[in-house]
Amino acid sequence: MAGDGYTVDVRGMDEFSPRDLYAMLRMRVDVFVVEQKCPYPELDGKDFNALHLRLLVGEELIASVRLRSPLDVPDAPSRIGRVVVSPAHRGKRLGEKLMAEAIAACETRFPGRPIALSAQSHLQRFYESFGFLPVSGEYLEDDIPHVDMQRPVTAQTAG
């Protein structure tokens, strides 16, 4: 799958080469821990049972997102998390492309399920543009304001 000069890659953690896994985890730590000055456990144990969607230009990682399944819980949403664009590639609307690919992947792999995410509050409008609606009030997660959001099942994906 590709578009606009990038390639989309979706795989489980065990399918990564050590170098590719290192690149993805380093980008997440560089952005979420170092850039956002937020010391928290980035390696939270949830990557093992997740899918990782990456945008690549050639071999270069430019963005990634973590997709988690509903784990066989009836009516539970799939989850999008760890949405990150490489600082060297910001300003190219990659966040929009990444989210569109992540939603499509969730709808394909977890059909008939809503999609949930925990959004940094300042990005609420961005996620609303993809059909996500707030389902919680604002709260602090690692000293950063967040809001829980969910995208309902659309008629096309309801099965």
Side-chain angles (χ1 to χ4, degrees):
M1 193 181 248
D4 296 331
Y6 62 86
T7 302
V8 177
D9 175 66
V10 181
R11 61 180 68 193
M13 197 171 99
D14 291 339
E15 300 172 80
F16 282 104
S17 73
R19 289 184 183 275
D20 288 343
L21 181 60
Y22 177 87
M24 183 181 67
L25 296 176
R26 179 176 178 171
M27 183 171 61
R28 287 178 13 187
V29 168
D30 285 351
V31 171
F32 298 136
V33 178
V34 178
E35 180 181 314
Q36 295 181 359
K37 297 177 176 57
C38 183
Y40 79 106
E42 168 56 33
L43 302 178
D44 61 1
K46 296 177 182 174
D47 289 305
F48 294 106
N49 296 317
L51 293 173
H52 302 276
L53 186 149
R54 302 178 305 152
L55 300 184
L56 303 159
V57 173
E59 297 292 316
E60 181 185 7
L61 174 64
I62 60 173
S64 74
V65 63
R66 179 167 75 182
L67 309 175
R68 293 178 40 222
S69 80
L71 301 174
D72 299 324
V73 177
D75 301 320
S78 57
R79 294 198 64 85
I80 293 175
R82 300 302 200 261
V83 179
V84 63
V85 173
S86 167
H89 292 278
R90 291 189 186 145
K92 300 176 183 177
R93 304 184 77 94
L94 289 173
E96 293 173 4
K97 295 169 184 171
L98 182 63
M99 282 304 298
E101 296 288 355
I103 290 167
C106 284
E107 289 176 343
T108 299
R109 294 166 188 267
F110 317 119
R113 300 286 183 137
I115 305 169
L117 54 79
S118 177
Q120 291 186 8
S121 295
H122 74 279
L123 294 171
Q124 182 174 335
R125 283 193 178 152
F126 171 75
Y127 291 115
E128 286 173 343
S129 74
F130 292 95
F132 286 87
L133 303 170
V135 294
S136 77
E138 188 174 81
Y139 59 92
L140 288 179
E141 183 175 316
D142 301 312
D143 291 326
I144 297 173
H146 281 73
V147 62
D148 289 332
M149 301 185 78
Q150 190 163 296
R151 186 175 192 272
V153 177
T154 62
Q156 297 139 338
T157 62

